């Protein structure tokens, strides 16, 4: 059976996740969607808001699926997949709406640590909604808001009609996560197709945006940030493996997402890698083309990144002349 494509909707309290979910379910896009939502209340209020257009809505209440109730999420996923296999429900996509205080990391890990889920589900991407009105205050005071932006494959900026200028906030979000495109959404109205098939966890190369230049010093230094590195020399694979193992041993808890395309000595093909904290994978991509200049591109997104150490560590891989 074809794996189910899974989208994780993240974002701080009041960012508009339920409004967006309602729009997705009411749009005629041809997808059959099941929903798992996480609420703190006893009564599933969100289910009353989003209606009955989903194949099935499973509500996990009175807890946060990123921590003490992660086992409940796993069980809910297995129940949905069993019902799909039995033919009692039909869906090809699953959307998980997490609570506003949830860290996406443990939810992502669920799809990699359980063999059955890893085989039956394809984690397509993390979509994080950011409330333009309250975002700066939330980012200043709550690290989980920064983590939600850091894990994102796409950031949706909501309530922009209530804010005169979003440029500074956009630049701040780009400092936190330089790999996630940012698009504006009003009242949940957006191009639904742009939210699907993000392939955020597929091992493939997508051009990493160059380092951004900013015109002001932020009032607050965010604990979550992103670092982009470009190496104009080939790297030795064995040496690189040792470097990555050492970095993960020391800083795996700091790293949210990391991804790269590598120019490896003696290899005709590009080597791709990506990871989420301690979980990572790598594989060979297409051969280098005659009309392109080989290079390595890496991006690290994490909490309290040791930027100077990372830069120096990879620069030290430069072959001696």
């Amino acid at each position: 059976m074809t794996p189910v494509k899974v989208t994780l909707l993240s974002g701080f309290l009041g960012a508009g996740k339920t409004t967006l979910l309602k729009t997705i379910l009411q749009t005629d896009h041809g997808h059959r969607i099941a929903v798992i939502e996480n609420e703190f209340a006893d009564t599933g209020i969100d289910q009353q808001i989003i209606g009955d257009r989903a194949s099935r809505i499973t509500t996990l209440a009175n807890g946060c699926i990123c921590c003490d109730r992660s086992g409940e999420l796993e069980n809910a996923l297995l129940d949905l997949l069993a019902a799909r296999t039995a033919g009692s429900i039909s869906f090809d996509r699953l959307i998980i709406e997490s609570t506003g205080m949830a860290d996406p990391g443990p939810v992502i890990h669920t799809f990699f640590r359980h063999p059955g889920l890893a085989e039956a589900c394809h984690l397509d991407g993390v979509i994080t909604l950011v409330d333009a009105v309250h975002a700066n205050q939330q980012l200043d005071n709550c690290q989980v808001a920064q983590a939600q932006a850091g894990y994102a494959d796409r950031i949706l900026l909501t309530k922009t009609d209530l804010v005169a200028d979003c440029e500074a906030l956009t630049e701040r979000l780009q400092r936190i996560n330089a790999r996630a495109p940012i698009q504006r959404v009003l009242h949940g109205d957006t191009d639904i197709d742009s939210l699907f098939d993000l392939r955020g966890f597929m091992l493939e190369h997508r051009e990493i945006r160059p380092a951004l230049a900013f015109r002001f010093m932020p009032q607050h230094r965010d604990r979550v940030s992103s670092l982009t590195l470009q190496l104009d020399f080939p790297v030795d694979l064995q040496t690189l493996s040792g470097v990555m193992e050492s970095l993960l041993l020391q800083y795996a808890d700091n790293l949210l997402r990391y991804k790269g395309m590598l120019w490896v000595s003696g290899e005709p093909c590009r080597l791709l890698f990506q990871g989420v904290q301690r979980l990572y994978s790598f594989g060979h991509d297409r051969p280098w083309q005659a009309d392109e200049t080989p290079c390595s591109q890496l991006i690290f997104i994490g909490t309290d990144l040791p930027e100077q150490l990372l830069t120096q560590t990879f620069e030290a891989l430069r072959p001696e002349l």
Side-chain angles (χ1 to χ4, degrees), residues 210-260:
L212 299 162
F214 300 106
R215 297 186 297 275
F216 68 97
M217 179 66 70
Q219 291 181 320
H220 300 271
R221 175 176 170 80
D222 297 314
R223 291 193 64 194
V224 176
S225 61
S226 53
L227 174 67
T228 302
L229 301 176
Q230 183 157 319
L231 312 179
D232 60 358
F233 53 83
V235 296
D236 176 74
L237 185 55
Q238 185 173 356
T239 304
L240 177 68
S241 297
V243 166
M244 286 302 301
E245 290 293 337
S246 177
L247 286 173
L248 290 176
L249 189 63
Q250 297 180 68
Y251 299 107
D253 291 336
N254 297 71
L255 294 172
L256 305 181
R257 300 282 296 270
Y258 48 98
K259 200 167 191 175

Side-chain angles (χ1 to χ4, degrees), residues 85-102:
T85 301
S88 59
I89 57 174
S90 177
F91 61 96
D92 49 39
R93 291 187 180 273
L94 170 65
I95 296 178
I96 300 175
E97 180 193 357
S98 63
T99 69
M101 295 301 293

Side-chain angles (χ1 to χ4, degrees), residues 239-294:
T239 304
L240 177 68
S241 297
V243 166
M244 286 302 301
E245 290 293 337
S246 177
L247 286 173
L248 290 176
L249 189 63
Q250 297 180 68
Y251 299 107
D253 291 336
N254 297 71
L255 294 172
L256 305 181
R257 300 282 296 270
Y258 48 98
K259 200 167 191 175
M261 173 194 70
L262 300 172
W263 176 19
V264 178
S265 302
E267 290 286 346
C269 296
R270 311 185 305 180
L271 184 72
L272 307 180
F273 80 95
Q274 71 161 327
V276 179
Q277 294 177 327
R278 287 181 170 83
L279 300 173
Y280 67 96
S281 58
F282 64 90
H284 286 92
D285 190 39
R286 64 168 176 79
W288 293 101
Q289 303 300 305
D291 60 348
E292 65 180 332
T293 302

Side-chain angles (χ1 to χ4, degrees), residues 181-199:
I182 300 174
Q183 63 188 65
R184 298 188 179 193
V185 176
L186 288 178
H187 310 297
D189 185 17
T190 189
D191 177 13
I192 303 300
D193 289 337
S194 70
L195 307 181
F196 293 147
D197 299 322
L198 300 183
R199 302 176 66 86

Side-chain angles (χ1 to χ4, degrees), residues 36-197:
I36 293 178
E37 58 173 8
N38 191 199
E39 296 188 49
F40 280 109
D42 289 318
T43 305
I45 299 298
D46 283 358
Q47 184 170 339
Q48 300 177 41
I49 296 174
I50 63 180
D52 58 0
R53 294 289 297 273
S55 295
R56 178 181 291 182
I57 301 173
T58 301
T59 301
L60 309 182
N62 288 328
C64 175
I65 57 177
C66 73
C67 45
D68 61 317
R69 302 179 74 87
S70 58
E72 187 179 357
L73 171 62
E74 189 173 288
N75 291 334
L77 289 166
L78 293 173
D79 288 345
L80 278 173
L81 292 171
R84 180 176 183 251
T85 301
S88 59
I89 57 174
S90 177
F91 61 96
D92 49 39
R93 291 187 180 273
L94 170 65
I95 296 178
I96 300 175
E97 180 193 357
S98 63
T99 69
M101 295 301 293
D103 182 330
V107 180
I108 294 169
H109 284 185
T110 301
F111 293 94
F112 294 103
R113 69 179 179 223
H114 190 290
L117 294 178
E119 183 177 349
C121 297
H122 162 58
L123 186 55
D124 183 52
V126 179
I127 298 174
T128 296
L129 285 76
V130 176
D131 174 352
V133 177
H134 304 103
N136 278 309
Q137 181 181 6
Q138 293 163 353
L139 292 169
D140 290 346
N141 299 325
C142 192
Q143 188 180 328
V144 73
Q146 297 181 26
Q148 290 168 350
Y151 275 109
D153 295 291
R154 178 146 302 166
I155 295 174
L156 304 184
L157 200 56
T158 66
K159 305 181 185 178
T160 55
D161 56 326
L162 304 178
V163 179
D165 184 5
C166 296
E167 183 178 0
L169 174 59
T170 299
E171 291 177 346
R172 183 176 186 179
L173 293 169
Q174 288 175 328
R175 283 194 299 274
I176 290 174
N177 187 338
R179 64 180 290 272
I182 300 174
Q183 63 188 65
R184 298 188 179 193
V185 176
L186 288 178
H187 310 297
D189 185 17
T190 189
D191 177 13
I192 303 300
D193 289 337
S194 70
L195 307 181
F196 293 147
D197 299 322

